[in-house]
Amino acid sequence: MSRPDDRGRFGAYGGRFAPETLIPALEALEEEFEAAMTDPGFLGELSDLLRDFVGRPTPLYQASRLSETLGVQVLLKREDLAHTGAHKINNTVGQGLLARRMGKPRVIAETGAGQHGVATATACALFGLECEVFMGAVDIERQAINVDRMRMLGATVKPVTAGAGTLKDAVSAALRDWVATVETTHYIIGSVVGPHPFPTIVREFQRVIGEETLTQLGDRRPDVVVACVGGGSNSMGMFHPFADREVDLVGVEAGGDGLSSGRHGATLSAGSPGVLHGAMTYMLQDDEGQVLEAHSISAGLDYPGVGPEHAYFKDAGIARYESVTDDEAVEAMTLLSALEGIVPALESAHAIAWIARERIALAGKTVVVCLSGRGDKDLDLVRNR
């Protein structure tokens, strides 16, 4: 696929809505990324690191007991087994290489669930880069284990107390820092969001998930491919290689307390087009265009926007987007743990919950799930619920 166009647009979405001071840096990043992705030396080093450091390929696992219980053939793409315990490391190793290639000694990042922060701190340790991670104060409280891991890896965690103290506010703080330090700093965005070229960069570093899955399936073709969607990096990495293969693609958003409650993070299911964090996309907003707070038990899905390519996928009918509630996600986390000995992240549990809810309609079908991360980080949340 050739998307985005030369303006960084996925149809009506995407683009570059950024301060004037960032435009030269974004243009330089786009140029460096395009050069790197045709450089055999860069691609060879990335491939070696994905194999030897990240631990790829991750398995495509037949979840037999879950399949028998639900009456649906469920295959799990085990991103929880990647180094640091989530798919985020695919992107941070790639962007860490880019930062080193650009000669930028300092890296900043934002994180919600903490997995992107841990992955960024890991990549920075690997490449010898200074690392600062912006994280909402609320998320620091509910993801304390990952905060400790980031600090152990040498990163500085910067608490963000503005707004709701969650992922949206961390992204805003990171963007403000980048405006002031762009000459020496690379911003490793953690999802397929932000101004062009970030959505494309993150997608290209995450598409290894879907490409590996296609190879591991061989001659088999699944009926459905499903993944959770917050910003949308694991789902876009899985979906993109399947987008022209006549497979039903389903993204599962955070339904929180239910869409009618107003306390959710279901941007594509209940949002509308607008500009957020440098890109035109679907977002949660009021009648005046003010950003609404998102809610999810899962810190990684607690974001009022979504990657612009997902917005394009929705409008073009390439993928469809559903939601499940916090309660359904917790039940699914427990179900997969008890039946398969795999504790999924609450983010990934949203995808499992959708299969469990739709098991009658899915009976006899083969469903591939991107299990985007492991759930150690969420145990306190579930225990205290």
Side-chain angles (χ1 to χ4, degrees):
M1 292 187 181
S2 59
R3 295 187 304 269
D5 64 19
D6 56 8
R7 298 180 304 153
R9 295 291 190 115
F10 303 91
Y13 303 103
R16 188 177 281 162
F17 296 83
E20 194 64 32
T21 51
L22 286 184
I23 298 301
L26 291 167
E27 291 174 342
L29 176 60
E30 180 182 14
E31 182 178 343
E32 196 69 43
F33 173 69
E34 290 178 351
M37 295 303 278
T38 58
D39 179 349
F42 179 90
L43 294 176
E45 187 172 5
L46 177 61
S47 178
D48 289 348
L49 287 170
L50 289 176
R51 182 192 63 218
D52 300 331
F53 186 72
V54 174
R56 306 205 70 85
T58 58
L60 183 64
Y61 174 71
Q62 172 79 46
S64 300
R65 295 191 67 213
L66 180 69
S67 298
E68 182 178 350
T69 299
L70 298 180
V72 181
Q73 292 301 311
V74 180
L75 298 169
L76 305 176
K77 180 57 174 168
R78 297 289 307 277
E79 292 301 293
D80 59 310
L81 294 180
H83 182 41
T84 71
H87 70 292
K88 296 292 187 182
I89 191 71
N90 305 320
N91 172 50
T92 61
V93 166
Q95 290 208 52
L97 276 174
L98 270 181
R100 191 183 69 181
R101 182 183 172 101
M102 291 186 292
K104 295 199 173 183
R106 178 175 179 262
V107 162
I108 60 171
E110 86 297 323
T111 194
Q115 291 300 115
H116 175 58
V118 170
T120 300
T122 300
C124 288
L126 175 67
F127 298 120
L129 302 170
E130 179 186 355
C131 181
E132 294 190 16
V133 180
F134 292 86
M135 190 170 189
V138 170
D139 290 337
I140 286 176
E141 288 292 325
R142 59 181 177 174
Q143 300 292 348
I145 293 174
N146 276 340
V147 173
D148 290 341
R149 293 172 74 194
M150 282 182 262
R151 288 172 174 156
M152 177 68 73
L153 290 160
T156 300
V157 179
K158 309 275 283 189
V160 179
T161 56
T166 57
L167 180 57
K168 169 180 71 70
D169 310 298
V171 174
S172 297
L175 282 169
R176 284 194 295 272
D177 182 289
W178 199 36
V179 169
T181 63
V182 67
E183 293 298 323
T184 59
T185 300
H186 176 58
Y187 178 15
I188 299 186
I189 286 185
S191 194
V192 285
V193 301
H196 177 68
F198 281 112
T200 302
I201 290 174
V202 179
R203 180 197 75 196
E204 288 300 297
F205 287 141
Q206 292 292 3
R207 64 181 295 153
V208 65
I209 302 170
E211 289 173 346
E212 277 182 10
T213 303
L214 279 171
T215 299
Q216 291 164 325
L217 283 167
D219 294 333
R220 295 176 292 173
R221 192 183 77 180
D223 299 292
V224 183
V225 172
V226 58
C228 64
V229 180
S233 64
N234 91 92
S235 45
M236 188 50 68
M238 176 61 97
F239 288 176
H240 205 270
F242 282 92
D244 56 358
R245 293 179 179 266
E246 298 183 352
V247 173
D248 191 11
L249 302 177
V250 179
V252 184
E253 299 187 293
D257 294 337
L259 299 191
S260 60
S261 72
R263 280 174 48 81
H264 59 78
T267 307
L268 289 160
S269 300
S272 57
V275 173
L276 180 66
H277 292 147
M280 175 70 74
T281 187
Y282 274 79
M283 59 183 286
L284 302 179
Q285 58 186 323
D286 63 18
D287 293 340
E288 304 299 322
Q290 298 299 309
V291 181
L292 296 174
E293 298 294 344
H295 164 76
S296 172
I297 188 174
S298 168
L301 303 184
D302 196 354
Y303 182 64
V306 68
E309 195 165 12
H310 280 293
Y312 173 76
F313 271 31
K314 171 187 166 70
D315 284 5
I318 297 172
R320 59 190 171 100
Y321 296 87
E322 307 283 348
S323 66
V324 301
T325 65
D326 289 348
D327 288 342
E328 289 175 305
V330 172
E331 290 174 10
M333 184 182 187
T334 303
L335 180 71
L336 185 64
S337 301
L339 290 178
E340 297 290 346
I342 298 169
V343 181
L346 277 169
E347 289 85 349
S348 312
H350 281 69
I352 302 295
W354 179 80
I355 298 171
R357 191 179 69 197
E358 301 297 324
R359 60 188 179 278
I360 295 175
L362 295 172
K365 293 185 176 180
T366 298
V367 179
V368 173
V369 182
C370 183
L371 200 73
S372 58
R374 69 188 192 208
D376 317 37
K377 65 186 179 59
D378 296 321
L379 294 183
D380 284 345
L381 273 173
V382 174
R383 185 190 306 118
N384 297 328
R385 186 171 172 76

